[in-house]
Every structure is written in C-alpha cells, then in structure tokens.
Amino acid sequence: MSHAAPRPFSTVRAPALAGRVRVPGDKSISHRALMFGALATGTTRITGLLEGEDVVNTARAVTALGAPALKEGDTWIVKGRGVGGLTEPAGPIDFGNSGTGTRLMMGVIAGHPITTTMTGDASLSKRPMRRVIGPLKLMGLEIAEDRETLPLTLKGSDALIPIVYELPVPSAQVKSAILLAGLHAAGETTVIEKEATRDHTERMLRFFGADIRTELKDGKTHITVKGNAEMTGRDVTVPGDPSSAAFLVCAAILVPGSDVMVEGVLVNETRTGLYTTLQEMGADVTLTNLREEGGEPIADIRARHSALKGVTVPAERAPSMIDEYPVLAAVAAFASGDTVMHGLAELKVKESDRLAATAAGLEANGVKATIDGDTLIVHGTGGKVPGGGTVATHLDHRIAMAFLTMGLASEAPVTVDDTAMIATSFPEFIGLMQQLGAEYRT
Ligand code: S3P
C-alpha cells in the first residue's frame, strides 16, 4: 500500500495539559473481534472498534474472504461464516502496515482450502513471517514462494494437523496464529510459552464459545485449543487502548502543571508494564475505578506532572510493554540518572527497528543513548532535554508519537519527518493532544 506524502510536524513546548479524555479502542482486541466474528456463526456486533488503518484493513480482509464487516451507526456488524466457512478472495489482500492483521490472518487462512495472496506496505514487507509460516507449515499450510516476507501466496487446507509448539520468541501474534489454525485442525493444538504474552486471543476465543484451556506446567504456560471448533457470534465492547493512552499519560507526566485523566483504558496485566515502570520512576500515575467490560479489566488512568528517576526495567517485563519502549525512552530522557531497558530483541522487528530508531531520535535531540546488545540505556538529563532535532520515523507510528510527546517538554521544538502513519493506530492522536492543550506546527 502506498501512503500519502510524508507529513512532517513539530511539537512546541506545551503549557500545562489538563482534561478528561477517552482513547480509541484497543488495536489487538479490535483485530481479533473482526476475525473471530468472521469465524463464528451468526452476527457479531462490535462497539468501540478502533478505526485506524490497520484495523480497517482487517475489516476489508474478512469482507474479501466472504464475511462482510460493515459499520451501521456506531456499531460494526460482522456476518460470520463459521469455522472453516470463509471463501477465496477475488484478488490479493492488502494488510497495509499491520503485522497483527497479517500474522493472525495467516492462521485463519491456513484452515481454509483457498489460495490467498497477502501484500503490505514497505515496512510490513520487511518484517519476518517465518515465525508464523514455520509452525503453520507443520500444520499443512503451503506457501507458493520460497521467501519469508510479504508478498506471499498462501494455500490453506481443510485437513490441518494439530501440533504442540513451543514459541521460540515471546510473540502473541505467533501464539494467536497457531491457535486460530488450531480451531480448524482435527484434534488438540497446544502452544507453549515461557514468557506470558498478551492473552486477548485466549480470552476472546473462550467468549465466542471455543474450547480452550490454559495450564501452568514447569513454569511454562500451555494453551490448548480443540479443533473442529464451533463459535457463535457475540456482542463485543472494545476497551480503550493502553498503548495509545501511554502517549497522553507520558505527556502529562512530562509537562509541568499537568493533570490528565484517560477513561476506560484496558488494564489487562499482560499490557500494563509501562504503567508499573512509570510508577517505579516516581511518576504520579494512578489506576482508579477498576471494573470489567467484555471479559477484560478496565480502569481510568490519572497522570500528573512528576519528577522522575532512572530505573532498570527487567527483560521479563518486555512482553507486557513491548509497544511502549519508544515513549518510555522519551520519558527517561527527562529523568535523573540512567534508565536501563533489558530484553529488547523483539523491538528490532516491529514497524521499524525501534531500538535503533529510538536511540537515533534521542541523539538527534541532544540526549545520550547507548545500545548494548538487546539493552537500551537512556542517559537522563535530569529535566532539560535540548530538542531541536528531526526524528526519522521509518513508517513507524509509535516512533512519531513518542517523539512528538518528548517535544512537549523539550527546550527547543522536536520535529518528526512524518506523521501520516499515526493513522494506522491512533488517528485522533493530534486532536486529543490539542484538546489537552498541546500545540503543534507544520
Ligand atoms: C500484538 C502483539 C505484539 C505487539 C503488536 C500487537 C497482538 O506483537 O507488538 O502491536 O495484537 O497480538 P508480538 O506478539 O509479535 O510481539
């Protein structure tokens, strides 16, 4: 997919940020609601769906596969086809910038006797697909090309073989792809994970009526799904995305005098590593009004300006905050002392090499950063971040948002070379920040 011309933007130092806001729906849950709705019988109604480009591409994908997803009023309606009921699309399916859409859908397509070509933008076409294709091939998926990056042509099967598979990388996307293929296999498919990754697939498959169980054995989690599954369409309410809320919360922490409340945010503990880390740094962040919605815990998050100290973030926390390291690094730039983040190997294979892009963005704005293997060390300035630099975003929405957040409190404006990609996950980002009091210039 080709994107619009790059849209550079600068953030200028903001006055105190204040207000109560809601962020759009969680991206992970939005993708899954559309896909699981397509695999269920009957109708699924989704409220609060994220309408970012990534999720809209998944809505188009399920539609192209014979399960129409359409918006009526505030609700997205998916006409499900049942497990194994999807049909061959008329042409290639474009997944844009979305690794989640692509990888989960590979698991779905694997279980259907159809041939489907999957394409993506320049960023997605560089991302590793072997981690998903490898186990799916063991189950019976065929790939036309001798390649492990998009574009790829998949030939699925209605006779998938169940497998027991231990994840070599901590990835919810890989886990989910195998479990989704497992819905179609003849028997039980088990995924074993050493480190817990986000568990939205497990929760939502159960909610849709699939037979799925999770057991702890020898310190590892075994997730088993029964094949030849039957699922029934459900009503899904998507909670606010903690990975989007992160930017507003961090902005409030950095800008003197700020007090911001983000309402209705998903606080599933497989997603809240950033909030734990911010509290350890001394940030005034509180989770209030804890409640449950659609099988997931949610809360309102209040953040106020705080002085911060550097901390060490352990490697085992990485899966629960994997998308939040760029903004944590931006925050750490203002802390006193070093912030040491271990276990960041997976950051190198996100929408960009986020480890390199984050360090380069900091350096461009006068903040020292060191990469040591899979560890990033941000040498905090104790409050005064020079700014004045331009950040290369490499088609990565989170790099753009992280550095626009840093620029709200830096001495000189921070410029990002492009903001167009922000629409993949958080189209309302600039508008919500302006509502809180931030100012930008083009
Ligand atoms: C996601 C899982 C994570 C995350 C991505 C969304 C998901 O990727 O980075 O933004 O919805 O399953 P990995 O599971 O590959 O780490």
Side-chain angles (χ1 to χ4, degrees), residues 250-298:
C250 289
I253 292 168
L254 295 184
V255 176
S258 298
D259 187 351
V260 167
M261 177 81 94
V262 191
E263 295 174 336
V265 182
L266 174 73
V267 290
N268 177 319
E269 65 179 19
T270 62
R271 297 287 300 280
T272 50
L274 172 75
Y275 298 98
T276 306
T277 305
L278 291 172
Q279 285 166 344
E280 288 172 0
M281 294 175 85
D284 188 350
V285 177
T286 45
L287 275 51
T288 57
N289 194 11
L290 273 162
R291 55 215 190 264
E292 197 163 292
E293 217 174 75
E296 291 276 6
I298 62 168

Side-chain angles (χ1 to χ4, degrees), residues 358-370:
T358 300
L362 290 170
E363 293 278 350
N365 285 286
V367 180
K368 290 203 165 44
T370 312

Side-chain angles (χ1 to χ4, degrees), residues 142-155:
E142 288 175 37
I143 305 282
E145 299 83 1
D146 188 15
R147 206 181 35 232
E148 284 155 359
T149 50
L150 294 191
L152 286 169
T153 300
L154 280 66
K155 189 164 176 281

